[in-house]
Amino acid sequence: MRADIGESAAAAGVPASALEYAPGAADGRPSCAVSAKGFGSKSASLDAASLDVAVRALGAREWRQSQGRTERKGKDGSIGEARVLLTQRGWNMVAEYRYFGEGGVITLTAFDDACMKQNGSGAGPAG
């Protein structure tokens, strides 16, 4: 799963040095999610088109969109947020772009359905 997320984020231009994975649950419960967040910068910004690249790279790894892309635009008409939901063999993923500072941020979070059913929502990345 980390390879799917890491390589898809790299295809979108998320710098490897900015890619951070969510830690496991601090209280010893199993973590049912793998999540990566990457921040763009002034010299290597991320945008909604970067999210599209990541989603296409995930598609090449057999992730399929389960819903259409949703987005929110700012007052100036630019895309401030975009989200795509994907599925693959018992996993669900939220792929998301948000305008942030000068570089934007892309977050890819995958949830193991069976683990979440067994352990509840507390086993997700938000704890």
Side-chain angles (χ1 to χ4, degrees):
M1 198 56 52
R2 279 181 172 246
D4 284 2
I5 290 174
E7 291 176 19
S8 298
V14 176
S17 61
L19 195 60
E20 295 182 9
Y21 290 92
D27 63 1
R29 285 180 296 156
S31 176
C32 296
V34 177
S35 182
K37 181 180 285 190
F39 294 88
S41 64
K42 188 174 185 176
S43 62
S45 65
L46 300 171
D47 56 18
S50 303
L51 177 67
D52 294 338
V53 172
V55 168
R56 282 192 301 276
L58 287 162
R61 294 177 158 277
E62 299 182 18
W63 285 90
R64 300 292 171 242
Q65 279 189 243
S66 56
Q67 294 182 12
R69 176 175 138 163
T70 59
E71 56 186 46
R72 296 173 108 181
K73 293 186 177 183
K75 292 179 182 179
D76 65 356
S78 65
I79 298 172
E81 296 178 17
R83 177 179 297 146
V84 177
L85 302 178
L86 304 112
T87 63
Q88 181 200 72
R89 295 174 289 202
W91 287 77
N92 283 295
M93 180 182 293
V94 178
E96 189 172 50
Y97 159 77
R98 289 181 184 258
Y99 174 78
F100 181 78
E102 296 179 340
V105 61
I106 289 183
T107 307
L108 305 173
T109 306
F111 301 90
D112 180 335
D113 294 339
C115 180
M116 292 294 287
K117 285 178 185 175
Q118 182 177 351
N119 296 289
S121 62

